[in-house]
Amino acid sequence: MRTWSNYGRLYLRHFNELDHELDARLNRAYEYANRYLSSFSSPLIAVFAKNILFLSGGLLVLILALGIYEEFVFQVEHVLTLITVLSAVGIICRNLIPDENLVWCPEQLMTAILAHIHYLPFHWKNNAHTIKVRKEFETLFQLKAIYLLNEICSPLITPFILIFVLKPKALEIVKFFKSFTVSVKGVGNVCSFAQMDIRKHGNPDWQPCNLDANAENINEIMHPLSNGKTELSLLRFTLTNPEWPLPSAAKYFVKSIRANALQELIKAKETCTNNNSNPITRSLLSFGTIANEYSSIANSVLDAHNVHEIGLRKSTNSTICSKAPKYSCYKNNEEIQESDFEQMLQQNLSDLTQERIENISISAVPGMKKMRVYKTEGRLEGPSDTLLNSIHGKNLHINSVNIMIADMCLSALYLHELNKRNVSTYYYN
């Protein structure tokens, strides 16, 4: 019933991203986005829907029963039309009635969405449960009926937009093309943003704090982008095109991201304290709650550094709201355990939702059986130099397509955590 809007596709698209790569990425986030919006329900609408469903269902059953008893009932004029209308009303009302046996967790669902689509406004963080965020998210993920209505009306509305909206801004549009067009040898004139130049369009809020130390590679930033578009696009492009020779500034940025993540993991191991302010451990926690496959990868990385997360278990899934996980470290052969109540809660959720989780894992995780080869991102061989391999210390034993998808999910979460820390540090300073 829903689809990604045209505005959403433009907002979420990386620089130099091909259509089939964007489609594959948005398809992986579709289930989570649909469940997120389904978590919001109006009790008043549910009451009306239940009553209308009862009336329409009763009339439909009565007509069918009379038709079975007396065949001439189906020959009465408009009876088939009435049956069709009652069936449609029943289906619509049934979709408006929420499942009372499920408890959704909007924050975990939003984290899973962010891991795949990579771009979300900063103020959505920790506010996924609010009506304001839901309405803003609906501009990206709208009802298919509204999408079709916009497509039908666009030929009539577009001329007025061109005349009354874009015409007064003609000089600004021309100035933009003049300012951001560069000539590339062997290619021709291209948009400067397509070069993903960290020096010109990077944003310090989306970079490690120690990145400015190398003055030769990171020069004065001319036109920074506020949503991390340059940084995330660069990381994705290096994963999908590992043979691309990176410019010196881009190479330094990618290496700094991986080195900084590794240093933070080592710091988490040495301190063995609450790591809620550690971006990489927070990212791994969020990464592990997306799906079963990601949970095993996150645990493998944390175990490699003796920083183990109890809450990341095979049965944990983002569709069910569970207790927020806690950290624990191995130190002096003593492990900080969760409370018995929290363990019982997670175990009960595991038993009640195992069947649903197994069904979700087929369509919502990178190992999707429905995914065709031409719908995957990047090369079939996959990248060898990734963030996951860098912090794990050795190559992970998962297929090449999945390692690229998983690495980009973790990279997106990590950059958002870096941005959150950098912005908070700047605010408090």
Side-chain angles (χ1 to χ4, degrees), residues 177 180-184 187-195:
F177 280 103
F180 295 100
T181 300
V182 295
S183 180
V184 179
V187 178
N189 292 334
V190 298
C191 179
S192 62
F193 294 105
Q195 293 183 304

Side-chain angles (χ1 to χ4, degrees), residues 292 314-316 349-359:
N292 297 339
K314 185 177 180 180
S315 60
T316 305
L349 289 173
S350 171
D351 296 338
L352 291 173
T353 63
Q354 186 62 34
E355 181 180 356
R356 176 177 292 273
I357 291 169
E358 290 174 355
N359 293 333

Side-chain angles (χ1 to χ4, degrees), residues 87-293:
S87 301
V89 170
I91 293 174
I92 294 174
C93 292
R94 183 64 188 88
N95 290 328
L96 294 176
I97 301 174
D99 190 345
E100 298 177 354
N101 298 319
L102 288 181
V103 180
W104 304 98
C105 189
E107 290 298 336
Q108 288 187 345
L109 287 170
M110 186 61 72
T111 299
I113 295 170
L114 173 60
H116 291 297
I117 66 177
H118 304 162
Y119 298 104
L120 287 179
F122 180 78
H123 67 274
W124 287 11
K125 187 70 174 177
N126 298 327
N127 292 310
H129 61 284
T130 61
I131 301 298
K132 178 183 177 182
V133 172
R134 187 209 68 181
K135 290 182 178 179
E136 292 180 0
F137 184 74
E138 284 181 333
T139 62
L140 305 178
F141 193 65
Q142 63 184 183
L143 289 170
K144 191 170 291 185
I146 298 177
Y147 173 83
L148 294 176
L149 183 63
N150 289 337
E151 291 295 308
I152 294 173
C153 298
S154 60
L156 302 176
I157 299 175
T158 300
F160 294 97
I161 296 176
L162 292 174
I163 295 173
F164 298 105
V165 178
L166 293 183
K167 183 179 178 181
K169 299 181 179 180
L171 292 178
E172 296 181 24
I173 296 173
V174 173
K175 183 179 179 180
F176 174 86
F177 280 103
K178 181 179 179 181
S179 302
F180 295 100
T181 300
V182 295
S183 180
V184 179
K185 185 177 181 180
V187 178
N189 292 334
V190 298
C191 179
S192 62
F193 294 105
Q195 293 183 304
M196 299 171 293
D197 193 342
I198 293 293
R199 298 171 300 177
K200 294 182 179 179
H201 306 302
N203 192 324
D205 291 340
W206 291 84
Q207 299 167 7
C209 297
N210 59 353
L211 194 61
D212 294 331
N214 193 324
E216 297 179 359
N217 292 314
I218 306 297
N219 297 327
E220 182 181 358
I221 297 174
M222 299 172 60
H223 300 281
L225 299 180
S226 59
N227 59 349
K229 193 88 167 182
T230 304
E231 290 78 8
L232 287 167
S233 297
L234 177 60
L235 289 177
R236 188 208 66 86
F237 196 79
T238 57
L239 290 174
T240 55
N241 300 273
E243 75 284 353
W244 177 53
L246 277 74
S248 58
K251 183 182 296 185
Y252 179 73
F253 167 74
V254 173
K255 288 183 177 180
S256 297
I257 288 290
R258 295 167 183 170
N260 192 73
L262 182 59
Q263 291 176 2
E264 289 174 349
L265 266 181
I266 296 174
K267 180 180 179 181
K269 173 185 175 181
E270 293 175 348
T271 57
C272 193
T273 56
N274 193 327
N275 295 292
N276 287 332
S277 61
N278 193 318
I280 188 59
T281 50
R282 288 177 59 88
S283 302
L284 284 169
L285 292 181
S286 301
F287 176 78
T289 60
I290 297 175
N292 297 339
E293 184 175 346

